Amino acid sequence: MRNVKGAVCIKCGAEFEAGDDTYTCAKCGGILEIVYDYDYIKPRISAQTFANDKNFSMWRYMQFLPVGEGARPGPLRVGWSPLYKTEALGKTLGLENLYIKDDGLNPTSSLKDRASAIAALRAVHAGKDTVACSSTGNAASSLAGAAASMGLKSVIFVPERAPQGKLTQLLIFGAVVVSVKGDYGATFRLSARAIEKYGWYNRNAAINPYLSEGKKTVSLEIAEQLGLAAGVPAAAHGAYGFTAPDFVAVSVGDGCTIAGVWKGFKDLYAVGLIDKLPRLISVQAEGCCPVNRAIERDAPLEPMEENTLADSIAVGVPRNGDKALAAIRESNGITVNVSDDEILAAMRLLGRSAGIFGEPAGVTGTAGLIKAAERALIPHDALVVSIVTGNGLKDVASAQKAAGIAGGVKPDNSNEPKLIRIEPDMDLLTVEFAKRGICP
Ligand SMILES: *Cc1c(COP(=O)(O)O)cnc(C)c1O
């Protein structure tokens, strides 16, 4: 890997080679960060090389990925998810330049596919035939899908509360599924012991420093797609330029996603493709916000209970907290905590104003952005991107709560569009419509 210098511990600064079994720091147990040789990368890329590249997936950024030059990625199309300019939603929030990056449109319907694609590729490289991880759900389903597409076996540990949609994906992708009677912490610990015992390839994102490198491609795409959308010419190259947003809102669980998002922008900055860095908006659920609380109190991370319906970010002990804290601080970021009701409201608003359907953790970033906009923390003309990290069909039970047909909410008591249950009779339909002021 000529583009990679090695790995460095973000805690003690110890340096390592970037090998197949380079996981956590051998000296202090800290999390590792992959370090690139930007002097090597810079002459090999330009806005023009990207403009000419017809590979519309995360693999168009091979120069920024730790996979080696001859690497042959799997067949699934991961990445290059759409970046929508959401005018109506922007208007509601008083933001003139609001974009939504819909990463629920990846092969297994979450941003995690970006990390799992790297994991599967590196597992093949390491000569492993089985990959394993513990997960709140999406890392699992994405790993199982990536493994299936590349002829690898997968063993997946999930906490028993994982939503049915995600569990079902795992079984369809042929994974061995271990549903652990306990919380995510207990699930993680059991998986770590089993992985050690059986020698499988470890896709636990906080342990495996290569994975947030995959996740960072979401930022590379955002910057390239913003340039495309605005038609910004890159004078030096005669092609459109990459463009950094002013703010990026994203939900935070273990912290690998937000750390990856930050790394992506820093990579582009390091090679001169963007000339400024965005501020991160780190959004967590009120009932489980250890990362944001550490920032707000300027105190070390402390475990919290996992009280939120946003299962993908119900992480009481963030496994990549240090990287997340560093990313938020370095970016002069904003923290926002949202209630479950605010998450469900964001789900409805995204659906109704933009046609985008996210799972609870998928729309949590947007819920936080809504709150930040209400508090006037975001200038009205700022260039803002909110990443939807997972698709709404993964967790239909929560979506039904948002829609007002489950969880004790009576649809008739709300102002929202209503579910009309009716006999097949036109006269009855007319009556029901009249009652609700529909087509009077
Ligand atoms: C995993 C996940 C997140 C959070 O990512 P972390 O790396 O755990 O912080 C957010 N949204 C969805 C849908 C996820 O699956």
Side-chain angles (χ1 to χ4, degrees):
M1 292 192 291
R2 294 284 311 280
N3 57 339
V4 173
K5 272 189 179 159
V8 63
C9 173
I10 64 163
K11 228 175 191 168
C12 75
E15 291 175 19
F16 301 91
E17 270 186 40
D20 280 336
D21 43 6
T22 307
Y23 291 136
T24 47
C25 175
K27 292 202 170 125
C28 77
I31 305 279
L32 301 181
E33 167 98 33
I34 304 297
V35 181
Y36 291 84
D37 183 348
Y38 295 114
D39 292 335
Y40 176 84
I41 297 172
K42 201 169 171 178
R44 287 171 173 76
I45 51 146
S46 68
Q48 186 68 55
T49 54
F50 287 110
N52 293 339
D53 192 343
K54 299 290 182 287
N55 179 353
F56 292 106
S57 75
M58 64 181 271
W59 302 112
R60 66 199 270 108
Y61 306 108
M62 202 68 114
Q63 287 289 353
F64 290 108
L65 292 173
V67 291
E69 259 147 44
R72 300 205 7 243
L76 297 180
R77 196 232 54 195
V78 182
W80 204 255
S81 60
L83 180 76
Y84 299 118
K85 182 157 195 200
T86 43
E87 310 252 357
L89 179 60
K91 212 163 194 180
T92 309
L93 305 188
L95 298 172
E96 288 153 29
N97 297 294
L98 174 62
Y99 290 80
I100 303 284
K101 175 79 167 160
D102 189 1
D103 244 46
L105 295 182
N106 276 303
T108 77
S109 308
S110 83
L111 185 145
K112 296 281 195 302
D113 283 339
R114 298 176 185 272
S116 293
I118 301 272
L121 197 52
R122 291 202 59 94
V124 171
H125 186 262
K128 305 273 187 179
D129 65 359
T130 303
V131 290
C133 75
S134 72
S135 161
T136 54
N138 284 333
S141 45
S142 77
L143 183 65
S149 79
M150 295 182 74
L152 296 163
K153 286 180 263 186
S154 58
V155 182
I156 309 289
F157 296 76
V158 287
E160 62 182 339
R161 63 148 197 266
Q164 291 303 308
K166 300 178 186 182
L167 198 69
T168 309
Q169 279 186 299
L170 291 174
L171 296 167
I172 291 296
F173 292 139
V176 172
V177 183
V178 184
S179 172
V180 179
K181 296 188 170 133
D183 63 6
Y184 178 56
T187 308
F188 185 91
R189 287 190 294 276
L190 182 64
S191 77
R193 293 194 57 190
I195 289 168
E196 197 185 328
K197 174 160 182 178
Y198 297 108
W200 301 319
Y201 189 79
N202 188 341
R203 187 243 181 264
N204 282 331
I207 302 296
N208 186 325
Y210 298 104
L211 299 183
S212 48
E213 299 304 309
K215 290 187 173 183
K216 82 183 176 188
T217 56
V218 73
S219 300
L220 307 180
E221 289 172 19
I222 287 171
E224 190 175 357
Q225 290 171 320
L226 280 175
L228 266 173
V232 180
H237 309 289
Y240 58 83
F242 283 57
T243 304
D246 297 314
F247 293 89
V248 179
V250 68
S251 58
V252 176
D254 262 328
C256 312
T257 304
I258 196 165
V261 165
W262 182 235
K263 180 82 174 277
F265 288 114
K266 282 205 304 187
D267 278 354
L268 292 176
Y269 189 76
V271 297
L273 278 171
I274 55 175
D275 56 10
K276 62 167 191 187
L277 291 163
R279 294 179 69 187
L280 300 175
I281 304 175
S282 165
V283 190
Q284 294 203 287
E286 277 171 4
C288 189
C289 55
V291 171
N292 282 356
R293 201 173 59 170
I295 296 274
E296 287 151 12
R297 296 183 179 171
D298 200 15
L301 271 176
E302 281 191 44
M304 273 186 87
E305 283 185 34
E306 299 174 352
N307 285 329
T308 172
L309 98 171
D311 65 291
S312 302
I313 53 165
V315 183
V317 183
R319 306 287 154 179
N320 224 335
D322 290 340
K323 256 192 201 175
L325 292 177
I328 299 165
R329 290 195 174 113
E330 273 177 51
S331 84
N332 187 24
I334 297 172
T335 60
V336 185
N337 301 314
V338 292
S339 68
D340 282 358
D341 281 346
E342 287 167 330
I343 291 171
L344 296 179
M347 191 188 290
R348 285 192 297 270
L349 186 60
L350 265 170
R352 284 161 200 188
S353 66
I356 296 169
F357 186 15
E359 66 165 290
V363 303
T364 297
T366 308
L369 177 64
I370 294 168
K371 214 161 170 175
E374 279 166 7
R375 291 178 180 168
L377 294 174
I378 318 283
H380 64 92
D381 57 350
L383 185 51
V384 184
V385 177
S386 179
I387 305 172
V388 170
T389 48
N391 189 283
L393 286 174
K394 281 175 171 275
D395 182 1
V396 171
S398 292
Q400 288 183 335
K401 283 186 197 158
I405 58 166
V409 189
K410 285 212 191 77
D412 284 345
N413 294 341
S414 79
N415 297 321
E416 304 292 341
K418 294 165 179 72
L419 176 64
I420 303 169
R421 297 184 198 273
I422 194 173
E423 300 296 324
D425 180 309
M426 188 61 204
D427 292 337
L428 285 176
L429 183 65
T430 314
V431 173
E432 291 296 324
F433 273 15
K435 258 201 257 173
R436 293 172 165 83
I438 302 167
C439 307

